[in-house]
Amino acid sequence: MTDVYRPLKDAFGRYATGVAIAACKAGDDEYVAITINSFTSVSLNPPLVLWCVERNASTFPAFMAADHYSVSILRADQKDASQRFASYQPKTLTGAEIEIWETGAPILKDRLAGFDCTIHERHQAGDHVILIGRVIQFDSIDGAPLVYYASGYRSEEPNE
């Protein structure tokens, strides 16, 4: 099957992005996660971030029902985590690999940075929904990020 969107995807792929995991609570003791590269900061005051979720994603209903979500920025050595949550039916998060902060959204224990957010706004945008979140709590450590460019992973050392 030919992907009619491949030329556009290739052009979009020339913009290097970081790789992150967005996660939310999907049930009493269930958490879902999805790999994202659409994460960006929006505002410092109030502190806002956004990312986009595809309507066809298996996790879409959970994120539409959630009042909170988290974003965990991945380190250069976390390609396996990125690939794990990039599939259409990603595995659920386990309690051993997450922390629960103020909102109740799960944040990966191993991360370069973490953001605990409440839903601020949702915007319909083509085949995606833009989720804008107000940052309630965050952290970060020094380290190299996992980078995605031209349909492949890269790792970049931070400038010292």
Side-chain angles (χ1 to χ4, degrees), residues 27-105:
D28 288 340
D29 290 319
E30 184 181 359
Y31 304 100
V32 297
I34 186 171
T35 299
I36 62 171
N37 70 345
S38 58
F39 177 76
T40 191
S41 60
V42 175
S43 171
L44 294 174
N45 187 19
L48 300 175
V49 297
L50 72 74
W51 67 281
C52 305
V53 60
E54 186 177 11
R55 293 175 189 281
N56 291 334
S58 62
T59 55
F60 182 80
F63 282 104
M64 291 304 97
D67 293 329
H68 313 93
Y69 68 80
S70 68
V71 174
S72 300
I73 308 299
L74 298 183
R75 299 183 323 253
D77 64 350
Q78 292 182 293
K79 179 180 171 183
D80 288 346
S82 173
Q83 290 177 322
R84 175 181 167 198
F85 296 108
S87 68
Y88 177 75
Q89 288 285 3
K91 295 181 174 69
T92 58
L93 290 164
T94 66
E97 62 191 334
I98 60 172
E99 298 174 359
I100 304 297
W101 287 357
E102 187 175 331
T103 70

Coordinates of all heavy atoms in Angstrom, one line a residue, residues 27-105:
G27 N -8.3 4.6 34.1 CA -9.2 3.8 34.9 C -8.7 3.9 36.3 O -7.8 4.6 36.6
D28 N -9.4 3.1 37.2 CA -9.0 3.1 38.6 C -7.5 2.9 38.8 O -6.9 3.6 39.5 CB -9.8 2.1 39.3 CG -11.2 2.5 39.5 OD1 -11.5 3.7 39.3 OD2 -12.1 1.6 39.8
D29 N -7.0 1.8 38.2 CA -5.5 1.5 38.4 C -4.9 1.3 37.0 O -3.9 0.5 36.9 CB -5.4 0.3 39.2 CG -5.7 0.5 40.7 OD1 -5.4 1.6 41.2 OD2 -6.4 -0.3 41.3
E30 N -5.4 2.0 36.0 CA -4.8 1.8 34.7 C -4.3 3.1 34.1 O -4.9 4.2 34.3 CB -5.9 1.3 33.7 CG -5.3 1.0 32.3 CD -6.4 0.4 31.4 OE1 -7.6 0.3 31.8 OE2 -6.1 0.2 30.2
Y31 N -3.2 3.1 33.5 CA -2.5 4.3 32.9 C -2.2 3.9 31.5 O -1.7 2.8 31.2 CB -1.3 4.6 33.7 CG -1.5 4.9 35.1 CD1 -1.2 3.9 36.1 CD2 -2.1 6.1 35.6 CE1 -1.5 4.1 37.4 CE2 -2.3 6.3 36.9 CZ -2.0 5.3 37.8 OH -2.2 5.5 39.2
V32 N -2.4 4.9 30.6 CA -2.0 4.7 29.2 C -0.9 5.8 28.8 O -0.8 6.8 29.5 CB -3.2 4.9 28.2 CG1 -4.2 3.8 28.5 CG2 -3.8 6.2 28.3
A33 N -0.1 5.4 27.8 CA 0.9 6.3 27.4 C 1.1 6.2 25.9 O 0.7 5.2 25.2 CB 2.2 5.9 28.1
I34 N 1.6 7.3 25.3 CA 1.9 7.4 23.9 C 3.1 8.2 23.6 O 3.4 9.2 24.3 CB 0.6 8.0 23.1 CG1 0.8 7.9 21.6 CG2 0.4 9.4 23.6 CD1 -0.5 8.4 20.9
T35 N 3.9 7.8 22.7 CA 5.1 8.5 22.3 C 4.7 9.7 21.5 O 3.9 9.6 20.6 CB 6.1 7.6 21.4 OG1 6.4 6.5 22.3 CG2 7.3 8.4 21.0
I36 N 5.3 10.9 21.8 CA 5.0 12.1 21.1 C 6.3 12.8 20.7 O 7.3 12.7 21.3 CB 4.1 13.0 21.9 CG1 4.8 13.5 23.2 CG2 2.7 12.3 22.2 CD1 4.0 14.5 24.0
N37 N 6.2 13.6 19.6 CA 7.2 14.5 19.3 C 6.7 15.9 19.0 O 7.4 16.8 18.5 CB 8.1 14.0 18.1 CG 7.4 14.0 16.8 OD1 6.2 14.1 16.7 ND2 8.2 13.8 15.7
S38 N 5.4 16.1 19.3 CA 4.8 17.4 19.0 C 4.7 18.3 20.2 O 4.1 19.3 20.2 CB 3.3 17.2 18.5 OG 2.6 16.4 19.5
F39 N 5.5 17.9 21.3 CA 5.5 18.7 22.5 C 6.2 20.0 22.4 O 7.2 20.1 21.7 CB 6.2 17.9 23.6 CG 6.3 18.6 24.9 CD1 5.2 18.7 25.8 CD2 7.5 19.1 25.3 CE1 5.4 19.4 27.0 CE2 7.7 19.8 26.5 CZ 6.6 19.9 27.4
T40 N 5.6 21.1 22.9 CA 6.3 22.4 22.9 C 5.7 23.2 24.1 O 4.6 23.0 24.6 CB 6.0 23.1 21.6 OG1 6.9 24.3 21.5 CG2 4.6 23.6 21.4
S41 N 6.6 24.2 24.5 CA 6.1 25.2 25.5 C 5.3 26.2 24.8 O 5.4 26.5 23.6 CB 7.3 25.8 26.1 OG 8.1 26.5 25.2
V42 N 4.3 26.8 25.5 CA 3.4 27.7 25.0 C 3.5 29.1 25.7 O 3.6 30.1 25.1 CB 1.9 27.3 25.0 CG1 1.0 28.3 24.6 CG2 1.7 26.0 24.2
S43 N 3.6 29.0 27.0 CA 3.5 30.3 27.8 C 4.2 30.0 29.1 O 4.2 28.9 29.7 CB 2.1 30.7 28.1 OG 2.0 31.7 29.0
L44 N 4.9 31.1 29.6 CA 5.5 31.0 31.0 C 4.5 31.5 32.1 O 4.6 31.0 33.2 CB 6.8 31.9 31.0 CG 7.9 31.4 30.2 CD1 9.1 32.4 30.2 CD2 8.4 30.0 30.6
N45 N 3.6 32.4 31.7 CA 2.7 33.0 32.7 C 1.3 33.1 32.0 O 1.1 34.1 31.3 CB 3.2 34.3 33.2 CG 2.3 34.8 34.4 OD1 1.6 34.0 35.0 ND2 2.4 36.1 34.6
P46 N 0.4 32.1 32.2 CA 0.6 31.0 33.0 C 1.5 29.9 32.3 O 1.6 30.0 31.1 CB -0.8 30.4 33.2 CG -1.5 30.8 31.9 CD -0.9 32.2 31.6
P47 N 2.0 29.0 33.1 CA 2.9 28.0 32.4 C 2.0 27.0 31.6 O 1.3 26.2 32.2 CB 3.6 27.3 33.6 CG 2.7 27.5 34.8 CD 2.0 28.8 34.5
L48 N 2.2 27.0 30.3 CA 1.4 26.2 29.4 C 2.3 25.4 28.5 O 3.3 26.0 28.0 CB 0.4 27.0 28.6 CG -0.6 27.8 29.4 CD1 -1.5 28.7 28.4 CD2 -1.6 26.9 30.2
V49 N 1.9 24.2 28.2 CA 2.6 23.3 27.2 C 1.5 22.7 26.3 O 0.3 22.8 26.6 CB 3.4 22.2 27.8 CG1 4.5 22.8 28.7 CG2 2.5 21.3 28.7
L50 N 1.9 22.2 25.1 CA 0.9 21.5 24.3 C 1.6 20.3 23.6 O 2.8 20.2 23.5 CB 0.3 22.5 23.3 CG 1.1 23.0 22.1 CD1 1.3 21.9 21.0 CD2 0.4 24.2 21.5
W51 N 0.7 19.4 23.2 CA 1.1 18.3 22.3 C -0.2 17.9 21.5 O -1.3 18.4 21.9 CB 1.7 17.2 23.0 CG 0.8 16.5 24.0 CD1 0.5 16.9 25.2 CD2 0.1 15.2 23.8 NE1 -0.4 16.0 25.8 CE2 -0.6 14.9 24.9 CE3 0.1 14.3 22.7 CZ2 -1.4 13.8 25.0 CZ3 -0.7 13.2 22.8 CH2 -1.4 12.9 24.0
C52 N 0.0 17.2 20.4 CA -1.1 16.8 19.6 C -1.3 15.3 19.6 O -0.4 14.6 19.5 CB -0.8 17.3 18.2 SG -0.5 19.0 18.0
V53 N -2.6 14.9 19.7 CA -2.9 13.5 19.7 C -3.8 13.2 18.4 O -4.7 13.9 18.1 CB -3.6 13.0 21.0 CG1 -4.9 13.7 21.2 CG2 -3.8 11.5 21.0
E54 N -3.4 12.1 17.7 CA -4.1 11.7 16.5 C -5.5 11.1 16.9 O -5.5 10.3 17.9 CB -3.3 10.7 15.7 CG -3.9 10.4 14.4 CD -3.1 9.5 13.6 OE1 -2.1 8.9 14.1 OE2 -3.4 9.2 12.4
R55 N -6.5 11.4 16.2 CA -7.8 10.9 16.5 C -7.9 9.3 16.4 O -8.7 8.7 17.0 CB -8.9 11.5 15.6 CG -9.1 12.9 15.8 CD -10.1 13.5 14.7 NE -10.2 14.9 14.8 CZ -10.9 15.6 15.6 NH1 -11.6 14.9 16.5 NH2 -10.9 16.9 15.6
N56 N -7.0 8.8 15.5 CA -7.0 7.3 15.3 C -6.2 6.6 16.4 O -6.2 5.3 16.4 CB -6.5 7.0 13.9 CG -7.5 7.4 12.9 OD1 -8.7 7.5 13.1 ND2 -7.0 7.7 11.7
A57 N -5.5 7.3 17.2 CA -4.6 6.6 18.2 C -5.5 5.8 19.2 O -6.6 6.3 19.6 CB -3.8 7.7 19.0
S58 N -5.0 4.7 19.6 CA -5.8 3.8 20.5 C -6.0 4.5 21.9 O -6.9 4.2 22.6 CB -5.1 2.5 20.7 OG -3.8 2.6 21.3
T59 N -5.1 5.4 22.2 CA -5.1 6.1 23.5 C -6.0 7.4 23.4 O -6.2 8.0 24.4 CB -3.7 6.5 24.0 OG1 -3.1 7.3 22.9 CG2 -2.9 5.3 24.3
F60 N -6.5 7.7 22.2 CA -7.3 9.0 22.0 C -8.4 9.1 23.0 O -8.6 10.1 23.7 CB -7.7 9.1 20.6 CG -8.5 10.3 20.3 CD1 -7.9 11.5 20.1 CD2 -9.9 10.3 20.2 CE1 -8.6 12.7 19.8 CE2 -10.6 11.4 20.0 CZ -10.0 12.6 19.7
P61 N -9.3 8.0 23.2 CA -10.4 8.2 24.1 C -10.0 8.5 25.5 O -10.6 9.3 26.2 CB -11.1 6.8 24.0 CG -10.7 6.3 22.7 CD -9.3 6.8 22.5
A62 N -8.9 7.9 26.0 CA -8.5 8.1 27.3 C -8.0 9.5 27.5 O -8.3 10.2 28.5 CB -7.3 7.1 27.7
F63 N -7.3 10.1 26.6 CA -6.8 11.5 26.7 C -8.0 12.5 26.6 O -8.0 13.5 27.2 CB -5.7 11.8 25.7 CG -4.4 11.3 26.1 CD1 -3.8 10.1 25.5 CD2 -3.7 11.9 27.1 CE1 -2.6 9.6 25.9 CE2 -2.4 11.4 27.5 CZ -1.9 10.3 26.9
M64 N -9.0 12.1 25.8 CA -10.2 13.0 25.7 C -11.0 13.0 27.0 O -11.6 14.0 27.3 CB -11.1 12.6 24.5 CG -10.4 12.9 23.1 SD -9.9 14.6 22.9 CE -8.2 14.5 23.3
A65 N -11.0 11.9 27.7 CA -11.7 11.8 28.9 C -11.0 12.3 30.1 O -11.6 12.6 31.2 CB -12.1 10.3 29.2
A66 N -9.7 12.4 30.0 CA -8.8 12.8 31.2 C -8.9 14.3 31.4 O -8.9 15.1 30.5 CB -7.4 12.3 30.9
D67 N -8.8 14.6 32.7 CA -8.6 16.1 33.1 C -7.2 16.4 33.3 O -6.9 17.6 33.5 CB -9.4 16.3 34.4 CG -10.9 16.2 34.2 OD1 -11.4 16.5 33.1 OD2 -11.5 15.7 35.2
H68 N -6.3 15.5 33.3 CA -4.9 15.7 33.5 C -4.0 14.8 32.6 O -4.5 13.8 32.2 CB -4.5 15.3 35.0 CG -5.5 15.8 36.0 ND1 -6.6 15.1 36.4 CD2 -5.5 17.0 36.6 CE1 -7.2 15.9 37.3 NE2 -6.6 17.0 37.4
Y69 N -2.8 15.2 32.4 CA -1.9 14.4 31.7 C -0.5 14.8 32.1 O -0.3 15.8 32.7 CB -2.0 14.5 30.1 CG -1.6 15.8 29.5 CD1 -0.3 16.1 29.3 CD2 -2.6 16.7 29.1 CE1 0.0 17.3 28.7 CE2 -2.3 17.9 28.6 CZ -0.9 18.2 28.3 OH -0.6 19.4 27.7
S70 N 0.5 13.9 31.8 CA 1.9 14.1 32.1 C 2.7 14.0 30.8 O 2.2 13.4 29.8 CB 2.4 13.1 33.1 OG 2.5 11.9 32.5
V71 N 3.8 14.7 30.8 CA 4.8 14.5 29.7 C 6.1 14.2 30.3 O 6.6 15.0 31.2 CB 4.8 15.8 28.8 CG1 5.9 15.6 27.8 CG2 3.5 16.1 28.1
S72 N 6.7 13.2 29.9 CA 8.1 12.8 30.3 C 9.0 12.9 29.1 O 8.8 12.2 28.1 CB 8.1 11.3 30.8 OG 7.2 11.2 31.9
I73 N 10.0 13.8 29.2 CA 11.0 14.0 28.1 C 12.0 12.9 28.2 O 12.6 12.7 29.3 CB 11.7 15.4 28.2 CG1 10.6 16.5 28.3 CG2 12.6 15.6 27.1 CD1 9.7 16.6 27.2
L74 N 12.3 12.2 27.1 CA 13.2 11.1 27.1 C 14.6 11.4 27.0 O 15.0 12.4 26.2 CB 12.8 10.1 26.0 CG 11.4 9.5 26.2 CD1 11.1 8.5 25.0 CD2 11.2 8.8 27.5
R75 N 15.5 10.6 27.7 CA 16.9 10.7 27.6 C 17.4 10.0 26.3 O 16.7 9.2 25.8 CB 17.6 10.1 28.8 CG 17.3 10.8 30.1 CD 18.0 10.1 31.2 NE 18.2 8.6 31.1 CZ 17.6 7.7 31.7 NH1 16.7 8.1 32.7 NH2 17.7 6.4 31.5
A76 N 18.6 10.3 25.9 CA 19.2 9.7 24.7 C 19.2 8.2 24.8 O 19.1 7.5 23.7 CB 20.7 10.2 24.5
D77 N 19.3 7.6 26.0 CA 19.3 6.1 26.1 C 17.9 5.5 26.2 O 17.8 4.3 26.6 CB 20.2 5.7 27.3 CG 19.7 6.2 28.6 OD1 18.7 7.0 28.7 OD2 20.2 5.7 29.6
Q78 N 16.9 6.2 25.9 CA 15.5 5.7 26.1 C 14.8 5.4 24.8 O 13.5 5.4 24.8 CB 14.7 6.6 27.0 CG 15.2 6.7 28.5 CD 14.4 7.6 29.3 OE1 14.4 8.8 29.2 NE2 13.7 6.9 30.3
K79 N 15.5 5.0 23.8 CA 14.9 4.6 22.5 C 13.9 3.5 22.7 O 12.8 3.5 22.1 CB 15.9 4.3 21.5 CG 15.4 3.9 20.2 CD 16.6 3.5 19.3 CE 16.1 2.9 18.0 NZ 17.2 2.5 17.1
D80 N 14.2 2.5 23.6 CA 13.3 1.4 23.8 C 11.9 1.9 24.3 O 10.9 1.4 23.9 CB 13.9 0.4 24.7 CG 15.0 -0.4 24.1 OD1 15.1 -0.4 22.8 OD2 15.7 -1.1 24.8
A81 N 11.9 2.8 25.3 CA 10.7 3.4 25.8 C 9.9 4.1 24.7 O 8.7 3.9 24.6 CB 11.0 4.3 27.0
S82 N 10.6 4.8 23.9 CA 9.9 5.5 22.8 C 9.2 4.5 21.9 O 8.1 4.7 21.5 CB 10.9 6.4 22.0 OG 10.3 6.9 20.9
Q83 N 9.9 3.5 21.5 CA 9.4 2.5 20.6 C 8.2 1.7 21.2 O 7.3 1.4 20.6 CB 10.5 1.6 20.1 CG 11.4 2.3 19.2 CD 12.6 1.4 18.7 OE1 13.1 0.6 19.5 NE2 13.0 1.5 17.5
R84 N 8.3 1.5 22.5 CA 7.3 0.7 23.2 C 5.9 1.4 23.1 O 4.9 0.8 23.0 CB 7.7 0.5 24.7 CG 6.7 -0.1 25.5 CD 7.1 -0.2 27.0 NE 6.1 -0.5 27.8 CZ 6.1 -0.4 29.1 NH1 7.2 0.1 29.7 NH2 5.0 -0.7 29.9
F85 N 6.0 2.7 23.3 CA 4.7 3.5 23.3 C 4.3 4.1 22.0 O 3.4 4.9 21.9 CB 4.8 4.6 24.4 CG 4.9 3.9 25.8 CD1 6.1 4.0 26.5 CD2 3.8 3.2 26.3 CE1 6.2 3.4 27.8 CE2 3.9 2.6 27.6 CZ 5.1 2.7 28.3
A86 N 5.1 3.8 20.9 CA 4.8 4.3 19.6 C 3.9 3.4 18.8 O 3.4 3.8 17.7 CB 6.1 4.6 18.8
S87 N 3.7 2.2 19.3 CA 2.8 1.3 18.5 C 1.3 1.7 18.7 O 1.0 2.4 19.6 CB 3.0 -0.1 19.0 OG 2.6 -0.3 20.3
Y88 N 0.5 1.2 17.8 CA -0.9 1.5 17.8 C -1.6 1.0 19.1 O -2.4 1.7 19.7 CB -1.7 0.9 16.6 CG -3.2 1.2 16.7 CD1 -3.7 2.5 16.4 CD2 -4.1 0.2 17.1 CE1 -5.0 2.7 16.5 CE2 -5.4 0.5 17.2 CZ -5.9 1.7 16.9 OH -7.2 2.0 17.1
Q89 N -1.2 -0.1 19.6 CA -1.7 -0.6 20.9 C -0.6 -0.7 21.9 O -0.1 -1.8 22.2 CB -2.3 -2.0 20.7 CG -3.6 -2.0 20.0 CD -4.8 -1.5 20.8 OE1 -4.6 -1.1 22.0 NE2 -6.0 -1.5 20.3
P90 N -0.1 0.4 22.4 CA 1.1 0.4 23.3 C 0.7 -0.3 24.6 O -0.5 -0.3 25.0 CB 1.4 1.9 23.6 CG 0.1 2.6 23.3 CD -0.6 1.8 22.2
K91 N 1.7 -0.9 25.2 CA 1.5 -1.5 26.5 C 1.1 -0.5 27.6 O 1.5 0.7 27.5 CB 2.7 -2.3 27.0 CG 3.1 -3.4 26.0 CD 4.3 -4.1 26.5 CE 4.6 -5.4 25.7 NZ 5.0 -5.2 24.4
T92 N 0.4 -0.9 28.6 CA 0.1 0.1 29.7 C 1.3 0.3 30.6 O 2.2 -0.6 30.6 CB -1.1 -0.4 30.5 OG1 -0.8 -1.7 31.0 CG2 -2.4 -0.5 29.6
L93 N 1.3 1.4 31.3 CA 2.4 1.6 32.2 C 2.2 0.8 33.5 O 1.1 0.5 33.9 CB 2.4 3.1 32.6 CG 2.8 4.1 31.5 CD1 2.4 5.5 31.9 CD2 4.3 4.0 31.3
T94 N 3.3 0.4 34.1 CA 3.2 -0.3 35.4 C 3.6 0.6 36.5 O 4.3 1.5 36.3 CB 4.1 -1.6 35.3 OG1 5.5 -1.1 35.3 CG2 3.8 -2.5 34.1
G95 N 3.1 0.2 37.7 CA 3.4 1.0 38.9 C 4.9 1.1 39.2 O 5.4 2.1 39.7
A96 N 5.7 0.1 38.8 CA 7.1 0.1 39.1 C 7.9 1.1 38.3 O 9.0 1.5 38.6 CB 7.7 -1.3 38.8
E97 N 7.3 1.6 37.1 CA 8.0 2.5 36.2 C 7.5 3.9 36.3 O 8.0 4.8 35.6 CB 8.0 2.0 34.8 CG 6.6 1.9 34.2 CD 6.6 1.2 32.9 OE1 7.6 1.1 32.2 OE2 5.5 0.6 32.6
I98 N 6.6 4.2 37.2 CA 6.0 5.6 37.2 C 6.0 6.2 38.6 O 6.2 5.5 39.6 CB 4.6 5.6 36.7 CG1 3.7 4.7 37.5 CG2 4.5 5.2 35.2 CD1 2.2 4.8 37.2
E99 N 5.9 7.5 38.6 CA 5.6 8.3 39.9 C 4.2 8.9 39.6 O 3.9 9.2 38.5 CB 6.7 9.3 40.1 CG 8.1 8.8 40.3 CD 9.1 10.0 40.3 OE1 8.7 11.1 40.2 OE2 10.3 9.7 40.4
I100 N 3.6 9.2 40.7 CA 2.3 9.9 40.6 C 2.5 11.2 41.4 O 2.8 11.2 42.6 CB 1.1 9.1 41.3 CG1 1.0 7.7 40.6 CG2 -0.2 9.9 41.2 CD1 0.7 7.7 39.1
W101 N 2.3 12.3 40.6 CA 2.4 13.6 41.3 C 1.0 14.2 41.6 O 0.1 13.4 41.8 CB 3.2 14.5 40.3 CG 4.7 14.2 40.2 CD1 5.4 13.3 40.9 CD2 5.6 14.9 39.4 NE1 6.7 13.3 40.5 CE2 6.9 14.3 39.6 CE3 5.5 15.9 38.5 CZ2 8.0 14.7 39.0 CZ3 6.6 16.4 37.8 CH2 7.9 15.8 38.1
E102 N 0.9 15.5 41.7 CA -0.3 16.1 42.2 C -1.5 15.8 41.5 O -2.6 15.6 42.1 CB 0.0 17.7 42.2 CG -1.1 18.4 42.9 CD -0.8 19.9 43.0 OE1 0.4 20.3 43.1 OE2 -1.8 20.7 43.0
T103 N -1.5 15.8 40.1 CA -2.7 15.6 39.4 C -3.2 14.1 39.3 O -4.3 13.9 38.9 CB -2.6 16.1 37.9 OG1 -1.7 15.2 37.2 CG2 -2.1 17.5 37.9
G104 N -2.3 13.2 39.6 CA -2.6 11.8 39.5 C -2.2 11.2 38.2 O -2.4 10.0 37.9
A105 N -1.7 12.0 37.2 CA -1.2 11.5 36.0 C 0.2 10.8 36.2 O 1.0 11.3 37.0 CB -1.1 12.6 34.9

